[in-house]
Amino acid sequence: MTDPESSSPLRSLQRVSSPERSPEAEAQRRQRVLQRITQLQTELSARPESRTRFTSVARRLFGENLRVGPRARYLAGALALAAALILVFSLSRSPHANLQLDSGLVFVESSHGRLTLDGTRRFELASGDALTTESDPAQLHLPSHAALALEPHTRVYLSPTQGNQNTTPDDHLRLERGLVSLRVPKLAPGQQLTVSTGDALVQVHGTEFSVEVIERPGQAPITRVSVNEGIVSVTRASERILLNAGQSWSSGSAATAPAAASEQSTAPQPAPAEPPPAEPTAPEPAASDVVTANSAPTPAASVGHASDLAEQNRLFLSARQARNSGNTALALQQLSSLMQRYPGSELAHNARVEHFRTLKAAGRLSEARASAGQYLRQYPHGFARAEATRLSAP
Amino acid sequence: MTDAQLTDTALIARLLDGDPSAGQLLYDRLIRIVDWTLHRLLGRSQADHDDLVQSAFEQIVTTLYKDTFARSCSLTSWASAVTTRIALTELRTQQRRRKNFGARVELEEQSLSSPIANIEAQTAARLELERIRRVLPLVHPDNAQVLILHELNDLSLSEIASTLGLSASAVQTRLWRGRKELLERLASEDRELQ
């Protein structure tokens, strides 16, 4: 029988040394392994296992040599239950949003740290959490089913709130830096989607548009809004304008936008209902930055043309039909379009009345009040002045 | 505190928090032991070697996330235990391949750290290394792992015990069995050759 203590054949392997590697080969291997480690960090942190997480946390709390025996497991169970109750309690108190990441790479920054997400996955975002991108863009879907595209080096906060009917969450985005593009489906009556920046508030009426915060060294950043489809309203200080498809607007004094059109210029309090938790840090704007549309129809008094009358009728009837079928966004869009394009026409008067009535019916009372105030200023002796006065009264 | 002075616990915490720089620190801290263990046990060609290095790091990171890492040992000891397992699996795979396909075993060029005087002695040393590599996968993997960690990587019995979560007596038993098995296998191979 061989005596195992007598010799150590493995010792001969100790003479083998690692061969020299070229710096290029080592750099290549290092990069390859690091990429894989980063990938694993993302994959594994996205599906944490509660038991192991607990053990890890417990080890950090109670020391490195924690042994998980039966008593410790009971303790673990009790602590986990307590933690779950606390979590449920806190969830019921703070709004969360379920988002869908469609593609790209996005980082969720919260008080608990930074989470990296990629590929296609659902995740939850608490109020105050930031979504950021670095060198890669990302595409997501918001709780309102709006598609959100984040360009590289963008940071945005999402403040979800319940909508007016408790089933349609409003989405309030606060863009801190970078560029976001949105494609917004038809919103439910009363539902809102807004994007705020340091100096502007963009409210959506069912459309596709983008908002960009342009940083300037030594100066306050400016905001640029471009609309591809539909209509959005932009509120800045006490001014609100409507942007149609193909139009853009910039809060900078040297506007670079190719087109923009104004709807209201002096409304005292035309901000949309329940403004999002924006934190304006930029100085108050000096003057209106609205650029008159190059391609938009001139808002002159073009009453009289048969084709114009037909178009006015079409817009008005279309708005009525949309309102009756519950499509508030489209109704408001058609009415706004009518008022912009034919401000001196008789139907513009009716359109304004229809506008505040539609907003009121949709539960958007502060906007309805603003619209009624606008009506009273525009038509002080109009046929709906009593109704508008009642609505605009505080 | 510099990154090099970062404790294993702090490094693991940063890794689990998703800090990208933690991956670099982990690589720099462990690449030597991973590289060295694989070279000694396998003496592999460059391409396969780098694949195995990557596998070792994947397994190390995964075990850290699954919290199966015994934190009472050092990360380096843990890495050498994980890498040893990977190397043993690879040796067994090679063994099966030889059996199934009758692959010819070529004597590899080895870097021997201590100079060996003549070509005959060098060849004998290489043959001995190949012989050990041939026999090692026949030893029970649990016993082989303890044997390698102790005799090749110079880990003390208490270090091995805390790394593998075993009692000191269990480590001693495995070590004794591993040595015995290895010597018996080597003797058996010698008899077959004669």
Side-chain angles (χ1 to χ4, degrees):
Chain A
M1 169 103 183
T2 319
D3 176 13
E5 297 290 338
S6 62
S7 60
S8 297
L10 275 184
R11 299 276 181 207
S12 60
L13 289 176
Q14 280 193 329
R15 293 211 310 266
V16 178
S17 62
S18 300
E20 288 291 316
R21 291 175 68 89
S22 68
E24 294 78 25
E26 176 50 30
Q28 206 175 358
R29 179 174 72 178
R30 189 172 192 273
Q31 190 186 1
R32 176 183 151 185
V33 174
L34 289 179
Q35 271 179 355
R36 184 67 188 127
I37 292 175
T38 308
Q39 202 179 350
L40 279 171
Q41 279 180 292
T42 310
E43 285 171 13
L44 295 170
S45 61
R47 44 186 159 90
E49 293 169 27
S50 56
R51 187 188 69 78
T52 57
R53 278 287 178 203
F54 167 76
T55 316
S56 173
V57 170
R59 282 204 169 108
R60 282 175 204 173
L61 287 174
F62 301 119
E64 296 296 302
N65 296 317
L66 178 75
R67 297 278 177 195
V68 185
R71 286 176 64 189
R73 287 201 186 98
Y74 279 122
L75 177 65
L79 285 172
L81 185 64
L85 287 171
I86 291 167
L87 186 67
V88 167
F89 181 70
S90 62
L91 282 175
S92 66
R93 291 173 66 84
S94 64
H96 282 64
N98 288 308
L99 279 79
Q100 166 77 38
L101 176 63
D102 300 319
S103 63
L105 184 66
V106 72
F107 302 91
V108 177
E109 293 175 356
S110 68
S111 54
H112 305 294
R114 192 172 199 240
L115 182 67
T116 309
L117 299 171
D118 64 354
T120 306
R121 62 179 71 231
R122 286 196 164 277
F123 64 100
E124 199 171 67
L125 201 68
S127 186
D129 290 356
L131 275 177
T132 62
T133 53
E134 290 185 348
S135 52
D136 297 305
Q139 286 79 39
L140 306 101
H141 269 92
L142 299 175
S144 61
H145 306 296
L148 170 69
L150 304 178
E151 292 301 315
H153 310 294
T154 294
R155 179 194 289 264
V156 67
Y157 294 86
L158 178 64
S159 305
T161 56
Q162 278 304 118
N164 294 327
Q165 298 178 350
N166 292 328
T167 52
T168 52
D170 295 345
D171 288 329
H172 297 305
L173 296 167
R174 180 160 62 84
L175 179 64
E176 189 176 281
R177 66 161 187 261
L179 169 64
V180 293
S181 300
L182 288 109
R183 179 182 285 275
V184 184
K186 194 186 294 177
L187 295 174
Q191 191 182 6
Q192 286 188 27
L193 195 154
T194 58
V195 182
S196 63
T197 64
D199 62 349
L201 174 68
V202 183
Q203 187 174 6
V204 183
H205 298 278
T207 181
E208 181 185 327
F209 70 106
S210 63
V211 184
E212 183 177 14
V213 170
I214 302 165
E215 290 174 338
R216 300 176 298 175
Q219 296 179 65
I222 58 171
T223 303
R224 183 162 58 199
V225 183
S226 304
V227 181
N228 298 330
E229 282 177 28
I231 189 167
V232 301
S233 72
V234 181
T235 305
R236 187 192 188 207
S238 60
E239 183 183 43
R240 180 181 174 208
I241 62 158
L242 289 174
L243 295 177
N244 287 307
Q247 296 181 324
S248 61
W249 170 90
S250 167
S251 65
S253 53
T256 55
S262 65
E263 182 216 19
Q264 304 157 337
S265 57
T266 53
Q269 197 61 37
E274 299 170 3
E279 294 166 9
T281 51
E284 280 296 306
S288 169
D289 300 304
V290 175
V291 179
T292 307
N294 291 332
S295 55
T298 311
S302 50
V303 190
H305 270 284
S307 58
D308 286 347
L309 287 172
E311 177 61 5
Q312 289 172 42
N313 282 331
R314 190 194 65 76
L315 285 170
F316 191 77
L317 285 173
S318 167
R320 275 245 169 113
Q321 283 167 358
R323 194 193 74 166
N324 292 341
S325 62
N327 189 347
T328 307
L330 181 63
L332 293 172
Q333 181 187 339
Q334 300 287 49
L335 292 170
S336 299
S337 182
L338 196 159
M339 289 184 285
Q340 268 181 25
R341 292 169 63 183
Y342 309 102
S345 72
E346 186 55 37
L347 267 180
H349 184 161
N350 294 64
R352 174 57 64 191
V353 176
E354 198 66 25
H355 192 263
F356 70 69
R357 284 176 179 168
T358 304
L359 286 168
K360 184 187 170 191
R364 293 157 64 171
L365 293 179
S366 61
E367 288 174 273
R369 268 196 289 276
S371 182
Q374 180 75 10
Y375 171 82
L376 288 172
R377 280 188 297 280
Q378 224 170 333
Y379 308 102
H381 306 292
F383 66 90
R385 63 182 179 280
E387 187 184 354
T389 306
R390 277 197 304 277
L391 183 58
S392 60
Chain B
M1 182 184 281
T2 66
D3 286 343
Q5 293 170 321
L6 201 66
T7 64
D8 285 348
T9 311
L11 173 55
I12 293 165
R14 279 170 63 170
L15 186 86
L16 299 186
D17 287 341
D19 182 349
S21 68
Q24 296 169 21
L25 292 172
L26 188 82
Y27 180 89
D28 294 339
R29 189 165 293 190
L30 303 182
I31 184 60
R32 193 173 163 274
I33 186 70
V34 170
D35 214 16
W36 189 68
T37 305
L38 289 172
H39 269 301
R40 284 183 171 188
L41 285 170
L42 301 170
R44 301 279 302 171
S45 64
Q46 195 72 48
D48 285 342
H49 177 82
D50 285 356
D51 287 345
L52 291 168
V53 167
Q54 182 171 323
S55 296
F57 274 98
E58 283 174 5
Q59 199 151 336
I60 290 163
V61 171
T62 307
T63 55
L64 292 177
Y65 268 94
K66 289 186 175 170
D67 208 28
T68 49
F69 164 55
R71 286 162 193 261
S72 47
C73 72
S74 72
L75 255 181
T76 314
S77 303
W78 180 252
S80 76
V82 169
T83 312
T84 299
R85 275 283 180 187
I86 286 174
L88 283 171
T89 307
E90 179 62 18
L91 280 174
R92 279 196 295 278
T93 308
Q94 286 175 26
Q95 188 88 353
R96 276 198 300 275
R97 212 176 291 147
R98 279 191 210 110
K99 261 187 195 166
N100 295 339
F101 303 106
R104 195 165 63 90
V105 180
E106 289 186 12
L107 198 60
E108 287 182 46
E109 277 297 316
Q110 292 293 339
S111 308
L112 298 174
S113 54
S114 56
I116 295 176
N118 55 53
I119 293 174
E120 262 182 43
Q122 280 192 20
T123 309
R126 283 178 193 145
L127 282 170
E128 176 65 9
L129 293 181
E130 286 308 319
R131 196 165 76 105
I132 292 166
R133 286 180 186 135
R134 249 189 340 265
V135 169
L136 207 49
L138 303 174
V139 178
H140 190 284
D142 290 344
N143 301 335
Q145 188 183 28
V146 170
L147 187 66
I148 292 163
L149 290 176
H150 185 60
E151 297 197 345
L152 192 63
N153 291 3
D154 283 331
L155 260 63
S156 70
L157 295 183
S158 59
E159 271 180 302
I160 297 171
S162 58
T163 302
L164 301 182
L166 297 171
S167 66
S169 60
V171 171
Q172 267 181 328
T173 307
R174 285 187 186 188
L175 181 63
W176 190 85
R177 285 182 185 159
R179 277 177 181 151
K180 183 169 168 283
E181 267 189 272
L182 182 66
L183 290 173
E184 283 176 356
R185 297 281 183 187
L186 285 170
S188 161
E189 195 182 67
D190 287 345
R191 277 196 301 276
E192 280 174 23
L193 287 173
Q194 284 165 8

